[in-house]
Amino acid sequence: MQQLENLYRQIIMDHYKNPRHKGLIDSDRYRTHHIKNPSCGDDITVQSAVKDGIVKDVRHDGSGCSICCSSASVLATLMIGQNIDSAQKLTDNYLNMIMNRPVDENLDLEDALAYQGVKQFPARIKCATIAWKAFEQTLKEWSDNDE
Amino acid sequence: MDAHKLKQCFPILTSQPLIYLDTAASSLTPKRVIATMNEYYTEYPVNVHRGVYQISYKATERYTAARQTIADFINADYEETVFTRGASSALNLIATSYGLNNLTANDEIIVSELEHHSHILPWQQVAKKTGAKLIYVPLNSEGRITTENFKKVLSDQTKVVALTYISNVMGYQTPLEEIIPLAHQKNAIVSVDAAQAAPHKTIDVKKLNCDFLAFSGHKMLGPTGIGILYGKRELLDKLEPVEFGGDMNDQVNLYDAVWKETPYKFETGTPPIAEAIGLAEAVRFLQELDPEAILNHEIALKQKAVEALIKLEGVTVYNPTSETGIIAFNLDGVHPHDAVSFFDQENIALRAGHHCAQLIIQWLKVPATLRASFYAYNTHEDVDTFIEVVKKARDFFTSVGF
Ligand SMILES: Cc1ncc(COP(=O)(O)O)c(C=O)c1O
C-alpha cells in the first residue's frame, strides 16, 4: 500500500480537488488540443496562449481519473510564464520521468515531481501523460506558425 | 464444481498470487489447451489443405476435426461453422456481407444500447451506407432488453435484429427464445452476439433458430485470434465473401472466379491452425466441466459478492439482478481507474472503463465502471478477499481525500 500512498500524495489530491486554471476560453489567443483515451474514458482538452515566445496562459478541462485531472492542473501551474523552449524541455523531462527514462536533474519540475511514483504503475502512465501530450501539441502549433 | 482443484489446471493461477476477476474480457488458458497448441507447433507445424505429405495430412485432419467439435458444441453443421479472427470479425462479416447486400433505405435494423461496439458499429455503418434506420429497443428500468419492449419496435420494416445474448457490462441475458420467433414472423433475420454466452451456456443454434451467431475463443478457455461465425446453411450459401484470395476459390480466370462452398469461401489465406485445434480442446474441456455447472457456480459467487457489496456504504452496484458472474459497480466518488490500481496492488485483476460498450455506460449516466466477472476457477475465498479489498479501497480513497 506504501506505493499507492506515495502516489496519491498531498499535491496530487490537492490539484484533483482544487484544480487551478480549469475551464476553457473561447478566444483566438489560444491554441487548443483535445485527447481522449478511449479505453479508460480520460478525456482532456488543454489550451495554451503564447505571446512574444512566452506561455501567457494554460487552461484545461475534461474528465478522468485523479491522476489525469490533477496532472493537467499541475501542468498549467508550472507552464505559465515559461518561454516556449523551456516549456518544451520541461515537458520532455516530465515525460521522461514518467516513462523511467533518463532525466535532466537541473530542470525543476516543481509540483510535477509528485508524479514520479507513476512509474511504479505502468498501467497508469497514460493517465499521467495525456494532458502533457495535449499541451505539447499546442506548443507545436505555436512553433509551426510562429505565433 | 471444485474450483480449488480447477485452479491447478491454469498455469497463471499457480505461478503467482492472482485473483482473476476479468474473465468477461478474456478467460485464462488451461494447461491442456496450451499443450494441444504446443503439440501442433512441435509435431506437425505445417499448413492445411496444401501439402500431401504425412504431417500436412495430420494437420489437415486435426484442423477438420476441430471444426466438427466446435460445430457439435453449438449443434451446427460443419458447413455452417466458419472460422474467423474472433467475434468482432464474425459480426463484421454478417453486417458487411448480409447488410450491405440486402438492406435499403426502407428497412430497419433493431439493435440495443447493451451491444458491444463490435455489434453496434458494423450495423451503424450499414445504416449509413444503405440509408436503413437503426432502431434501439428501449431498455427497461434495470437496463434490460425485454420481449415487451422489443415488440414496441418490431415492425413490417424490420429486416435485421442484431442483439447480444448476454451483455458484457450488465450480465443480463436477452430473452432471445421469445424474440427470435417474433422477428421471424416479420421475415427479419436475427444476428446474435454470443461472445459472453459461449463460456457458460449450452448454445443450440437449431433450437434457438437464430440466423447468425458469433463468439470468440479467448473468452471460453481457448486461444486469442480465433472465433466462430455460425450462419444457417441457406443464408451462408447466398452470402458473398468479404475477403478474397488463396484457398477460398475453386477456379480462377482472368476476369472472374468461382468460390468454394461454405465455410471455405469465407476463409481466405492460411487459417489460425493451432488456434482452431486449441479452441476444440477448450470446447472439450468446457463440455467436461458442464456449462450449466459453470454458470451455477458463477452465479453463486456473484450472488454472495453482490449481497456483501450492497450492504457497503460508498459502493454502488449497477446490476444486482444479473444472471451471470458479472458485477458492474463503482466506489462512490472514485474514478474507476483510480480504484483499479488499488485492486491491482492486492493482486486482484478487475476491469475499469466502458468495456467497449459506451452506449450502456452513457445509459447508466456514469463516466465508467469497475467490472468484476467471476468464472469457474474463482472460489468462495476469492469472493471474501475481493469484498475485503473493496472495503480497504473505499477506506483508503476516503483517507486520502476523495
Ligand atoms: C459481448 C461481446 N461481443 C463482442 C466482443 C468482441 O470479441 P473479440 O474482441 O474477441 O472480437 C466481446 C469481447 O470483448 C464481447 O464481450
Side-chain angles (χ1 to χ4, degrees), chain B residues 355-396:
Chain B
H355 322 295
C356 299
Q358 289 185 26
L359 300 181
I360 189 64
I361 296 296
Q362 287 163 21
W363 185 91
L364 285 168
K365 300 195 170 62
V366 292
T369 74
L370 291 166
R371 180 184 70 187
S373 46
F374 294 93
Y375 196 55
Y377 36 61
N378 293 118
T379 60
H380 283 269
E381 288 82 348
D382 288 351
V383 176
D384 297 337
T385 311
F386 168 64
I387 295 297
E388 278 317 301
V389 175
V390 170
K391 288 186 207 156
K392 264 164 80 176
R394 177 199 60 184
D395 296 344
F396 168 77

Side-chain angles (χ1 to χ4, degrees), chain A residues 50 53-55 58 75 78-94 107 109 132 135-136 139:
Chain A
V50 171
I54 304 289
V55 178
V58 177
L75 163 92
L78 178 65
M79 292 303 176
I80 294 171
Q82 306 283 352
N83 66 45
I84 283 214
D85 187 43
S86 52
Q88 183 61 55
K89 286 204 175 108
L90 286 165
T91 304
D92 292 342
N93 221 41
Y94 175 86
L107 288 175
L109 283 171
W132 293 68
F135 174 69
E136 195 175 27
L139 280 188

Side-chain angles (χ1 to χ4, degrees), chain A residues 93-113:
Chain A
N93 221 41
Y94 175 86
L95 294 175
N96 285 340
M97 172 182 85
I98 301 282
M99 308 216 216
N100 213 3
R101 295 191 298 233
V103 294
D104 181 348
E105 306 279 354
N106 296 322
L107 288 175
D108 187 1
L109 283 171
E110 301 177 22
D111 279 1
L113 270 178

